[in-house]
Amino acid sequence: MGYAAIEKHCMGLPGATRDTPFDGQSPVFKVGGKMFAMIPMGTGRATGVWFKAGAGSFDILTRIGGIKPCPYLARAHWVAMEGLTPLPAKDLRAYLTRAHAQVAAGLPKKKREALGIAAAPMQDNPFL
């Protein structure tokens, strides 16, 4: 799975938008104006993937080599994956989908409905 496939997957999620607010290069994926994933750029090329994780997933993921707490966002359970090799493509897609669902669940009901996200996922699931 390459960075183009990651971008395509994130943009295929309901209500997802793409922005470059920080450095004009690093794509940030949002739902309802809130970030759920980012592809950080360094010296003109992608260096990995950052994404929101649940508390349980954060603990599991940060034990994997090549995945660490995300700079500036770790207290909100974001992880920083270096490159694309720490997770199989199938698992990365699942975590990105969960990141989107977790952020979408925090949106007001009317906003979710306007974005085509009818029901909030289970908010009590620590792995979302």
Side-chain angles (χ1 to χ4, degrees):
M1 174 178 227
Y3 292 107
I6 290 169
E7 184 164 348
K8 183 178 179 181
H9 176 76
C10 288
M11 291 303 295
L13 297 169
T17 59
R18 181 189 185 276
D19 194 6
T20 55
F22 300 118
D23 58 9
Q25 295 181 45
S26 300
V28 174
F29 304 98
K30 298 179 179 182
V31 60
K34 300 197 179 277
M35 300 187 320
F36 68 91
M38 177 177 168
I39 299 174
M41 302 293 280
T43 62
R45 63 179 189 86
T47 61
V49 183
W50 295 2
F51 57 92
K52 176 122 176 90
S57 293
F58 180 85
D59 289 337
I60 292 166
L61 288 166
T62 54
R63 292 180 188 158
I64 297 171
I67 301 178
K68 59 186 180 183
C70 189
Y72 316 109
L73 299 169
R75 67 185 175 139
H77 299 119
W78 275 66
V79 296
M81 188 170 87
E82 298 169 3
L84 297 176
T85 57
L87 289 175
K90 178 181 170 187
D91 292 348
L92 179 56
R93 278 192 296 276
Y95 278 113
L96 291 170
T97 300
R98 288 179 192 151
H100 173 273
Q102 185 176 15
V103 172
L107 298 174
K109 182 179 179 181
K110 285 186 178 187
K111 192 167 216 171
R112 285 193 316 269
E113 289 173 349
L115 293 170
I117 306 167
M122 292 178 35
Q123 291 181 351
D124 295 334
N125 186 340
F127 295 101
L128 271 181

